[in-house]
């Protein structure tokens, strides 16, 4: 029995579990093998996700204050998802701005600072204010961000996911 990765025809790597038993001749020597490959990529991903969530739970439990908690989660998410950047952003709709206090980033300048909320685009802002998760795969082509692609391009964001955290009636 062994587990290993195989490259599929389209270049994707897939995990497989191989189990085989020998076909024995009368004298006990192996004259061949019979076995099967089982695709286990989903199981391997579920195991990795579970380990990540356990590690994340430790980060959350051990963080001494909310800022350290946000930083620990941003780093953990950035490393696990292998992103170039991960951050927690505080929105202030009354003042029309959002603040990135700290951001996890690989070989990129930090985006820490305060920005105009409208630069994100009205649909992104309204979705976040309503508590909806947002995923944009290409900021230059997505209807919600296309007219704002200059902003996203300037700060080096080609794709992003946003999950609003709601507390005390605020994002």
């Amino acid at each position: 029995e062994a587990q290993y990765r195989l490259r599929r025809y389209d270049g994707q790597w897939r995990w497989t579990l191989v189990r085989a038993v020998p076909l024995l001749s009368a004298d006990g020597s192996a004259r061949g093998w019979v076995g099967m490959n089982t695709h286990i990529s989903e199981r391997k991903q579920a195991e990795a996700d579970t380990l990540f969530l356990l590690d994340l739970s430790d980060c959350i439990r051990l963080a001494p204050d909310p800022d350290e908690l946000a930083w620990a989660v941003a780093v953990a998410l950035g490393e696990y998802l292998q992103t170039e950047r991960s951050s927690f952003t505080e929105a202030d709709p009354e003042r029309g701005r959002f603040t990135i206090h700290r951001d996890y980033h690989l070989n990129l300048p930090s985006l820490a600072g305060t920005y105009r909320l409208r630069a994100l685009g009205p649909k992104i802002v309204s979705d976040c204010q309503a508590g909806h998760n947002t995923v944009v795969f290409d900021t230059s082509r997505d209807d919600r961000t296309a007219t704002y692609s200059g902003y996203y391009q300037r700060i080096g964001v080609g794709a992003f996911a946003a999950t609003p955290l709601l507390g005390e009636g605020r994002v």
Side-chain angles (χ1 to χ4, degrees):
E1 181 176 307
Q3 294 180 20
Y4 59 91
R5 294 183 329 144
L6 291 175
R7 183 173 273 182
R8 212 167 65 171
Y9 68 92
D10 61 2
Q12 272 194 336
W13 287 96
R14 307 301 247 165
W15 279 99
T16 62
L17 170 66
V18 178
R19 290 185 173 141
V21 294
L23 292 174
L24 302 176
S25 61
D27 66 2
S29 62
R31 60 183 174 108
W33 291 82
V34 173
M36 63 184 223
N37 287 348
T38 305
H39 178 235
I40 59 168
S41 292
E42 286 83 10
R43 186 186 86 195
K44 294 292 272 187
Q45 186 62 54
E47 289 170 1
D49 292 347
T50 299
L51 289 174
F52 168 71
L53 291 173
L54 290 171
D55 289 345
L56 187 60
S57 173
D58 287 342
C59 286
I60 291 169
R61 189 172 36 81
L62 300 173
D65 64 62
D67 290 335
E68 286 304 311
L69 168 81
W71 174 244
V73 172
V75 170
L77 282 170
E79 290 174 349
Y80 183 70
L81 298 174
Q82 299 177 0
T83 64
E84 293 178 342
R85 183 180 310 281
S86 178
S87 67
F88 277 84
T89 303
E90 184 178 0
D92 186 349
E94 291 83 28
R95 292 192 174 119
R97 64 185 185 192
F98 68 95
T99 302
I100 299 172
H101 297 285
R102 254 170 119 179
D103 61 334
Y104 165 84
H105 48 89
L106 293 175
N107 304 318
L108 297 169
S110 173
L111 289 180
T114 300
Y115 303 90
R116 284 181 276 173
L117 201 52
R118 71 174 184 232
L120 300 175
K123 181 66 173 146
I124 301 299
V125 172
S126 66
D127 283 351
C128 286
Q129 287 176 323
H132 300 299
N133 293 327
T134 301
V135 177
V136 174
F137 292 100
D138 184 344
T139 56
S140 67
R141 295 178 185 212
D142 192 293
D143 291 343
R144 298 165 295 176
T145 58
T147 56
Y148 299 87
S149 63
Y151 165 75
Y152 289 104
Q153 187 177 21
R154 267 195 320 278
I155 64 171
V157 174
F160 67 90
T163 301
L165 302 175
L166 305 174
E168 299 176 8
R170 295 188 54 185
V171 177

